[in-house]
Amino acid sequence: MATWVVLQSVLQGLKPLLGDLVGLEVRSVTFRAGQSGPYLHTFELTLEQPTEGRLYFSGPPKDERGLEALAPLLTERLRLSLTLSEWRSKAYTDLLTGLLNRRGFERQIQRLIRLAGEQGKPITLALLDIDRFKRVHDTYGHPVGDEVLNHLAELLRKASRNDDLAVRMGGEEFALVLFGADLEDAYRVLRRIQSEVRALSIHPISWPLTLSAGLAGGKTPTSMATAQRWLEQADQALYEAKQAGRDRVYPVPPSNRLLEDFLEL
């Protein structure tokens, strides 16, 4: 998505200069911005290897000689923009799982808070981790532990819709931010993920894996401070789920009648 945004920005910047320009493609990353076709004229760009990029026109360019003179500057702009986009993506992404990292979470949650306020929708925040994950590391080593984390990341990715956030907060702790979901909706989602974790079979682990989670929110947040408070509450709910025996999903507050209602769902 970030690469497409870069190409779209470059395309919009070039249109005033190249009136018949309708599309821009960088084939090394198989991204294209602009009109899907038909095209009457193309112009090749050399980024790192021949014919790496291509401009699409609805008709022959009025000043092809000027376009050829502009090409080196354009290719350098594309290189820099794509490099910056890649750097930003890595800065906000967990290298092992490909999910958002904590910095990415802090950046994206602000966008969701604004969106929730505009649309009047709730957000529920879940903190979760694999029970007794240290036992996996101690028994089978880091490669197997990393495989477990990647399997969990894939389950969270599959459970996430367009405006949800799947995050590796650090170590074995993950977060799932469910946009438009109240506590009851989120509870059902986490229970389903729990079942999927139990069904995992990862060699050579000889025991069934389980997951615990704490939920907070379920309302429309008013500020980043609200999200931070929910994060702390979800962490406390996760702690209480662990203390109660693990393999549990606890909403906030976990000690009142609400918990009993959830457990009966």
Side-chain angles (χ1 to χ4, degrees):
M1 178 61 73
T3 300
W4 182 86
V5 171
V6 168
L7 296 187
Q8 191 69 26
S9 174
V10 173
L11 178 65
Q12 294 304 317
L14 286 174
K15 278 187 173 181
L17 301 174
L18 307 169
D20 293 325
L21 179 66
V22 292
L24 169 62
E25 179 183 38
V26 176
R27 280 176 283 167
S28 64
V29 291
T30 63
F31 269 97
R32 178 181 296 177
Q35 182 178 309
S36 59
Y39 305 116
L40 299 181
H41 189 86
T42 62
F43 185 85
E44 303 291 344
L45 299 171
T46 302
L47 296 176
E48 298 295 341
Q49 52 185 310
T51 66
E52 180 85 14
R54 181 175 287 174
L55 299 178
Y56 294 96
F57 294 85
S58 60
K62 296 176 182 178
D63 185 4
E64 189 153 358
R65 185 171 297 178
L67 180 57
E68 290 175 354
L70 178 65
L73 295 175
L74 173 58
T75 55
E76 185 61 22
R77 165 72 190 278
L78 276 173
R79 281 197 200 99
L80 290 174
S81 297
L82 292 171
T83 299
L84 179 60
S85 174
E86 181 181 5
W87 179 86
R88 284 175 173 166
S89 177
K90 288 179 178 178
Y92 297 120
T93 303
D94 175 58
L95 294 179
L96 175 65
T97 64
L99 300 184
L100 291 174
N101 59 20
R102 184 177 285 271
R103 286 185 64 188
F105 164 79
E106 291 171 351
R107 184 169 183 257
Q108 290 297 322
I109 192 66
Q110 296 180 52
R111 176 183 64 83
L112 286 192
I113 290 170
R114 289 194 299 270
L115 190 62
E118 292 168 1
Q119 299 184 9
K121 290 189 175 181
I123 290 176
T124 295
L125 191 152
L127 282 182
L128 54 134
D129 65 25
I130 297 292
D131 294 324
R132 296 186 175 90
F133 181 73
K134 186 176 183 298
R135 181 184 175 194
V136 175
H137 264 180
D138 292 346
T139 306
Y140 301 111
H142 287 274
V144 176
D146 288 349
E147 188 175 353
V148 171
L149 296 180
N150 275 316
H151 273 82
L152 177 55
E154 183 58 29
L155 293 179
L156 298 182
R157 195 178 287 111
K158 285 168 51 180
S160 302
R161 301 157 301 177
N162 286 342
D163 287 318
D164 296 338
L165 305 180
V167 187
R168 185 184 179 196
M169 300 297 283
E172 68 268 30
E173 187 173 70
F174 290 76
L176 188 61
V177 182
L178 298 172
F179 182 81
D182 59 21
L183 283 171
E184 184 175 325
D185 295 330
Y187 182 83
R188 291 194 177 99
V189 172
L190 267 296
R191 291 285 285 174
R192 185 173 70 248
I193 294 171
Q194 264 192 323
S195 297
E196 292 170 338
V197 168
R198 292 190 198 104
L200 289 175
S201 178
I202 301 175
H203 180 78
I205 300 174
S206 59
W207 61 84
L209 295 171
T210 60
L211 174 145
S212 294
L215 303 177
K219 301 176 182 178
T220 302
T222 57
S223 66
M224 188 63 186
T226 303
Q228 183 60 42
R229 185 173 68 255
W230 289 353
L231 197 63
E232 294 168 359
Q233 291 174 340
D235 188 52
Q236 179 62 30
L238 173 58
Y239 172 79
E240 297 200 21
K242 297 281 190 182
Q243 292 297 107
R246 300 180 176 85
D247 195 20
R248 287 165 165 76
V249 177
Y250 269 23
V252 169
S255 57
N256 66 10
R257 177 65 190 174
L258 181 62
L259 177 58
E260 296 177 20
D261 294 340
F262 273 109
L263 295 178
E264 291 173 0
L265 292 176

PDB file of all heavy atoms in Angstrom, residues 109-132:
ATOM      1  N   ILE A 109      -2.864   3.581  15.574  1.00  0.00           N
ATOM      2  CA  ILE A 109      -3.985   3.708  16.504  1.00  0.00           C
ATOM      3  C   ILE A 109      -4.518   5.136  16.512  1.00  0.00           C
ATOM      4  O   ILE A 109      -5.721   5.369  16.695  1.00  0.00           O
ATOM      5  CB  ILE A 109      -3.577   3.271  17.935  1.00  0.00           C
ATOM      6  CG1 ILE A 109      -4.814   3.112  18.837  1.00  0.00           C
ATOM      7  CG2 ILE A 109      -2.605   4.249  18.562  1.00  0.00           C
ATOM      8  CD1 ILE A 109      -5.732   2.000  18.445  1.00  0.00           C
ATOM      9  N   GLN A 110      -3.658   6.112  16.268  1.00  0.00           N
ATOM     10  CA  GLN A 110      -4.124   7.498  16.192  1.00  0.00           C
ATOM     11  C   GLN A 110      -5.076   7.688  15.016  1.00  0.00           C
ATOM     12  O   GLN A 110      -6.081   8.399  15.125  1.00  0.00           O
ATOM     13  CB  GLN A 110      -2.924   8.436  16.082  1.00  0.00           C
ATOM     14  CG  GLN A 110      -2.028   8.408  17.304  1.00  0.00           C
ATOM     15  CD  GLN A 110      -0.848   9.351  17.179  1.00  0.00           C
ATOM     16  OE1 GLN A 110      -1.006  10.531  16.886  1.00  0.00           O
ATOM     17  NE2 GLN A 110       0.349   8.842  17.409  1.00  0.00           N
ATOM     18  N   ARG A 111      -4.769   7.026  13.896  1.00  0.00           N
ATOM     19  CA  ARG A 111      -5.666   7.101  12.740  1.00  0.00           C
ATOM     20  C   ARG A 111      -7.010   6.459  13.065  1.00  0.00           C
ATOM     21  O   ARG A 111      -8.071   7.008  12.725  1.00  0.00           O
ATOM     22  CB  ARG A 111      -5.020   6.383  11.553  1.00  0.00           C
ATOM     23  CG  ARG A 111      -5.897   6.307  10.308  1.00  0.00           C
ATOM     24  CD  ARG A 111      -5.219   5.528   9.199  1.00  0.00           C
ATOM     25  NE  ARG A 111      -5.008   4.144   9.562  1.00  0.00           N
ATOM     26  CZ  ARG A 111      -5.937   3.196   9.452  1.00  0.00           C
ATOM     27  NH1 ARG A 111      -7.157   3.500   9.001  1.00  0.00           N
ATOM     28  NH2 ARG A 111      -5.674   1.949   9.777  1.00  0.00           N
ATOM     29  N   LEU A 112      -6.989   5.316  13.762  1.00  0.00           N
ATOM     30  CA  LEU A 112      -8.236   4.638  14.096  1.00  0.00           C
ATOM     31  C   LEU A 112      -9.069   5.435  15.087  1.00  0.00           C
ATOM     32  O   LEU A 112     -10.301   5.419  15.021  1.00  0.00           O
ATOM     33  CB  LEU A 112      -7.942   3.251  14.674  1.00  0.00           C
ATOM     34  CG  LEU A 112      -7.493   2.175  13.694  1.00  0.00           C
ATOM     35  CD1 LEU A 112      -7.528   0.808  14.356  1.00  0.00           C
ATOM     36  CD2 LEU A 112      -8.342   2.163  12.431  1.00  0.00           C
ATOM     37  N   ILE A 113      -8.407   6.126  16.020  1.00  0.00           N
ATOM     38  CA  ILE A 113      -9.137   6.969  16.978  1.00  0.00           C
ATOM     39  C   ILE A 113      -9.895   8.070  16.240  1.00  0.00           C
ATOM     40  O   ILE A 113     -11.066   8.336  16.515  1.00  0.00           O
ATOM     41  CB  ILE A 113      -8.168   7.560  18.019  1.00  0.00           C
ATOM     42  CG1 ILE A 113      -7.667   6.450  18.946  1.00  0.00           C
ATOM     43  CG2 ILE A 113      -8.848   8.659  18.839  1.00  0.00           C
ATOM     44  CD1 ILE A 113      -6.530   6.884  19.851  1.00  0.00           C
ATOM     45  N   ARG A 114      -9.236   8.699  15.276  1.00  0.00           N
ATOM     46  CA  ARG A 114      -9.904   9.740  14.473  1.00  0.00           C
ATOM     47  C   ARG A 114     -11.072   9.143  13.690  1.00  0.00           C
ATOM     48  O   ARG A 114     -12.165   9.709  13.648  1.00  0.00           O
ATOM     49  CB  ARG A 114      -8.909  10.400  13.518  1.00  0.00           C
ATOM     50  CG  ARG A 114      -7.880  11.286  14.201  1.00  0.00           C
ATOM     51  CD  ARG A 114      -7.164  12.162  13.190  1.00  0.00           C
ATOM     52  NE  ARG A 114      -6.444  11.367  12.196  1.00  0.00           N
ATOM     53  CZ  ARG A 114      -5.183  10.966  12.335  1.00  0.00           C
ATOM     54  NH1 ARG A 114      -4.508  11.278  13.431  1.00  0.00           N
ATOM     55  NH2 ARG A 114      -4.586  10.257  11.389  1.00  0.00           N
ATOM     56  N   LEU A 115     -10.837   7.990  13.078  1.00  0.00           N
ATOM     57  CA  LEU A 115     -11.876   7.353  12.264  1.00  0.00           C
ATOM     58  C   LEU A 115     -13.062   6.930  13.125  1.00  0.00           C
ATOM     59  O   LEU A 115     -14.227   7.102  12.727  1.00  0.00           O
ATOM     60  CB  LEU A 115     -11.275   6.134  11.547  1.00  0.00           C
ATOM     61  CG  LEU A 115     -12.116   5.471  10.463  1.00  0.00           C
ATOM     62  CD1 LEU A 115     -12.384   6.454   9.326  1.00  0.00           C
ATOM     63  CD2 LEU A 115     -11.405   4.229   9.932  1.00  0.00           C
ATOM     64  N   ALA A 116     -12.785   6.398  14.307  1.00  0.00           N
ATOM     65  CA  ALA A 116     -13.860   5.985  15.208  1.00  0.00           C
ATOM     66  C   ALA A 116     -14.700   7.177  15.638  1.00  0.00           C
ATOM     67  O   ALA A 116     -15.932   7.095  15.722  1.00  0.00           O
ATOM     68  CB  ALA A 116     -13.274   5.281  16.426  1.00  0.00           C
ATOM     69  N   GLY A 117     -14.038   8.303  15.913  1.00  0.00           N
ATOM     70  CA  GLY A 117     -14.757   9.506  16.289  1.00  0.00           C
ATOM     71  C   GLY A 117     -15.641  10.021  15.169  1.00  0.00           C
ATOM     72  O   GLY A 117     -16.783  10.437  15.402  1.00  0.00           O
ATOM     73  N   GLU A 118     -15.115   9.981  13.940  1.00  0.00           N
ATOM     74  CA  GLU A 118     -15.884  10.462  12.793  1.00  0.00           C
ATOM     75  C   GLU A 118     -17.093   9.582  12.511  1.00  0.00           C
ATOM     76  O   GLU A 118     -18.159  10.072  12.138  1.00  0.00           O
ATOM     77  CB  GLU A 118     -14.979  10.499  11.551  1.00  0.00           C
ATOM     78  CG  GLU A 118     -13.879  11.561  11.614  1.00  0.00           C
ATOM     79  CD  GLU A 118     -12.840  11.377  10.525  1.00  0.00           C
ATOM     80  OE1 GLU A 118     -13.005  10.425   9.710  1.00  0.00           O
ATOM     81  OE2 GLU A 118     -11.876  12.163  10.480  1.00  0.00           O
ATOM     82  N   GLN A 119     -16.929   8.269  12.699  1.00  0.00           N
ATOM     83  CA  GLN A 119     -17.998   7.332  12.350  1.00  0.00           C
ATOM     84  C   GLN A 119     -18.812   6.880  13.557  1.00  0.00           C
ATOM     85  O   GLN A 119     -19.804   6.160  13.398  1.00  0.00           O
ATOM     86  CB  GLN A 119     -17.394   6.109  11.649  1.00  0.00           C
ATOM     87  CG  GLN A 119     -16.678   6.448  10.353  1.00  0.00           C
ATOM     88  CD  GLN A 119     -16.168   5.213   9.622  1.00  0.00           C
ATOM     89  OE1 GLN A 119     -16.472   4.083   9.979  1.00  0.00           O
ATOM     90  NE2 GLN A 119     -15.385   5.431   8.581  1.00  0.00           N
ATOM     91  N   GLY A 120     -18.397   7.291  14.764  1.00  0.00           N
ATOM     92  CA  GLY A 120     -19.103   6.891  15.966  1.00  0.00           C
ATOM     93  C   GLY A 120     -19.064   5.397  16.224  1.00  0.00           C
ATOM     94  O   GLY A 120     -20.047   4.801  16.677  1.00  0.00           O
ATOM     95  N   LYS A 121     -17.937   4.770  15.940  1.00  0.00           N
ATOM     96  CA  LYS A 121     -17.811   3.321  16.091  1.00  0.00           C
ATOM     97  C   LYS A 121     -16.899   2.974  17.261  1.00  0.00           C
ATOM     98  O   LYS A 121     -15.977   3.733  17.583  1.00  0.00           O
ATOM     99  CB  LYS A 121     -17.266   2.691  14.807  1.00  0.00           C
ATOM    100  CG  LYS A 121     -18.264   2.726  13.652  1.00  0.00           C
ATOM    101  CD  LYS A 121     -17.771   1.914  12.483  1.00  0.00           C
ATOM    102  CE  LYS A 121     -18.825   1.852  11.385  1.00  0.00           C
ATOM    103  NZ  LYS A 121     -18.377   1.033  10.235  1.00  0.00           N
ATOM    104  N   PRO A 122     -17.129   1.816  17.886  1.00  0.00           N
ATOM    105  CA  PRO A 122     -16.273   1.408  19.009  1.00  0.00           C
ATOM    106  C   PRO A 122     -14.980   0.771  18.528  1.00  0.00           C
ATOM    107  O   PRO A 122     -14.843   0.375  17.358  1.00  0.00           O
ATOM    108  CB  PRO A 122     -17.132   0.375  19.739  1.00  0.00           C
ATOM    109  CG  PRO A 122     -17.946  -0.252  18.647  1.00  0.00           C
ATOM    110  CD  PRO A 122     -18.232   0.863  17.666  1.00  0.00           C
ATOM    111  N   ILE A 123     -14.031   0.690  19.430  1.00  0.00           N
ATOM    112  CA  ILE A 123     -12.783  -0.031  19.217  1.00  0.00           C
ATOM    113  C   ILE A 123     -12.551  -0.913  20.439  1.00  0.00           C
ATOM    114  O   ILE A 123     -12.742  -0.473  21.568  1.00  0.00           O
ATOM    115  CB  ILE A 123     -11.588   0.923  19.037  1.00  0.00           C
ATOM    116  CG1 ILE A 123     -11.676   1.669  17.701  1.00  0.00           C
ATOM    117  CG2 ILE A 123     -10.256   0.173  19.132  1.00  0.00           C
ATOM    118  CD1 ILE A 123     -10.581   2.697  17.513  1.00  0.00           C
ATOM    119  N   THR A 124     -12.174  -2.161  20.212  1.00  0.00           N
ATOM    120  CA  THR A 124     -11.765  -3.027  21.310  1.00  0.00           C
ATOM    121  C   THR A 124     -10.311  -3.427  21.109  1.00  0.00           C
ATOM    122  O   THR A 124      -9.900  -3.770  19.996  1.00  0.00           O
ATOM    123  CB  THR A 124     -12.642  -4.285  21.416  1.00  0.00           C
ATOM    124  OG1 THR A 124     -13.974  -3.883  21.745  1.00  0.00           O
ATOM    125  CG2 THR A 124     -12.130  -5.226  22.493  1.00  0.00           C
ATOM    126  N   LEU A 125      -9.555  -3.364  22.187  1.00  0.00           N
ATOM    127  CA  LEU A 125      -8.136  -3.674  22.143  1.00  0.00           C
ATOM    128  C   LEU A 125      -7.883  -4.959  22.929  1.00  0.00           C
ATOM    129  O   LEU A 125      -8.335  -5.099  24.066  1.00  0.00           O
ATOM    130  CB  LEU A 125      -7.340  -2.513  22.737  1.00  0.00           C
ATOM    131  CG  LEU A 125      -5.828  -2.502  22.558  1.00  0.00           C
ATOM    132  CD1 LEU A 125      -5.313  -1.067  22.557  1.00  0.00           C
ATOM    133  CD2 LEU A 125      -5.141  -3.281  23.684  1.00  0.00           C
ATOM    134  N   ALA A 126      -7.179  -5.905  22.317  1.00  0.00           N
ATOM    135  CA  ALA A 126      -6.832  -7.165  22.966  1.00  0.00           C
ATOM    136  C   ALA A 126      -5.320  -7.301  23.072  1.00  0.00           C
ATOM    137  O   ALA A 126      -4.601  -7.019  22.108  1.00  0.00           O
ATOM    138  CB  ALA A 126      -7.393  -8.346  22.182  1.00  0.00           C
ATOM    139  N   LEU A 127      -4.831  -7.709  24.232  1.00  0.00           N
ATOM    140  CA  LEU A 127      -3.446  -8.129  24.409  1.00  0.00           C
ATOM    141  C   LEU A 127      -3.452  -9.637  24.617  1.00  0.00           C
ATOM    142  O   LEU A 127      -4.272 -10.154  25.388  1.00  0.00           O
ATOM    143  CB  LEU A 127      -2.803  -7.435  25.607  1.00  0.00           C
ATOM    144  CG  LEU A 127      -2.356  -5.982  25.409  1.00  0.00           C
ATOM    145  CD1 LEU A 127      -1.696  -5.467  26.688  1.00  0.00           C
ATOM    146  CD2 LEU A 127      -1.398  -5.840  24.236  1.00  0.00           C
ATOM    147  N   LEU A 128      -2.558 -10.342  23.973  1.00  0.00           N
ATOM    148  CA  LEU A 128      -2.576 -11.793  24.028  1.00  0.00           C
ATOM    149  C   LEU A 128      -1.179 -12.363  23.873  1.00  0.00           C
ATOM    150  O   LEU A 128      -0.277 -11.714  23.329  1.00  0.00           O
ATOM    151  CB  LEU A 128      -3.484 -12.348  22.920  1.00  0.00           C
ATOM    152  CG  LEU A 128      -3.162 -11.862  21.501  1.00  0.00           C
ATOM    153  CD1 LEU A 128      -3.151 -13.028  20.524  1.00  0.00           C
ATOM    154  CD2 LEU A 128      -4.206 -10.829  21.061  1.00  0.00           C
ATOM    155  N   ASP A 129      -1.012 -13.579  24.372  1.00  0.00           N
ATOM    156  CA  ASP A 129       0.240 -14.295  24.133  1.00  0.00           C
ATOM    157  C   ASP A 129       0.029 -15.790  24.294  1.00  0.00           C
ATOM    158  O   ASP A 129      -1.002 -16.252  24.801  1.00  0.00           O
ATOM    159  CB  ASP A 129       1.382 -13.784  25.021  1.00  0.00           C
ATOM    160  CG  ASP A 129       1.163 -14.022  26.503  1.00  0.00           C
ATOM    161  OD1 ASP A 129       0.416 -14.949  26.853  1.00  0.00           O
ATOM    162  OD2 ASP A 129       1.744 -13.288  27.311  1.00  0.00           O
ATOM    163  N   ILE A 130       1.019 -16.555  23.821  1.00  0.00           N
ATOM    164  CA  ILE A 130       0.996 -18.010  23.943  1.00  0.00           C
ATOM    165  C   ILE A 130       1.348 -18.380  25.373  1.00  0.00           C
ATOM    166  O   ILE A 130       2.344 -17.903  25.924  1.00  0.00           O
ATOM    167  CB  ILE A 130       1.995 -18.651  22.971  1.00  0.00           C
ATOM    168  CG1 ILE A 130       1.616 -18.346  21.516  1.00  0.00           C
ATOM    169  CG2 ILE A 130       2.092 -20.161  23.195  1.00  0.00           C
ATOM    170  CD1 ILE A 130       0.346 -19.006  21.042  1.00  0.00           C
ATOM    171  N   ASP A 131       0.532 -19.237  25.974  1.00  0.00           N
ATOM    172  CA  ASP A 131       0.795 -19.672  27.348  1.00  0.00           C
ATOM    173  C   ASP A 131       2.079 -20.499  27.420  1.00  0.00           C
ATOM    174  O   ASP A 131       2.344 -21.335  26.545  1.00  0.00           O
ATOM    175  CB  ASP A 131      -0.380 -20.508  27.859  1.00  0.00           C
ATOM    176  CG  ASP A 131      -1.653 -19.689  27.997  1.00  0.00           C
ATOM    177  OD1 ASP A 131      -1.557 -18.504  28.370  1.00  0.00           O
ATOM    178  OD2 ASP A 131      -2.742 -20.228  27.715  1.00  0.00           O
ATOM    179  N   ARG A 132       2.870 -20.246  28.460  1.00  0.00           N
ATOM    180  CA  ARG A 132       4.114 -20.975  28.723  1.00  0.00           C
ATOM    181  C   ARG A 132       5.043 -20.982  27.499  1.00  0.00           C
ATOM    182  O   ARG A 132       5.664 -21.992  27.163  1.00  0.00           O
ATOM    183  CB  ARG A 132       3.812 -22.412  29.159  1.00  0.00           C
ATOM    184  CG  ARG A 132       3.050 -22.483  30.485  1.00  0.00           C
ATOM    185  CD  ARG A 132       2.903 -23.919  30.971  1.00  0.00           C
ATOM    186  NE  ARG A 132       2.287 -23.968  32.287  1.00  0.00           N
ATOM    187  CZ  ARG A 132       0.984 -24.052  32.501  1.00  0.00           C
ATOM    188  NH1 ARG A 132       0.148 -24.076  31.462  1.00  0.00           N
ATOM    189  NH2 ARG A 132       0.500 -24.105  33.722  1.00  0.00           N
TER     190      ARG A 132
END
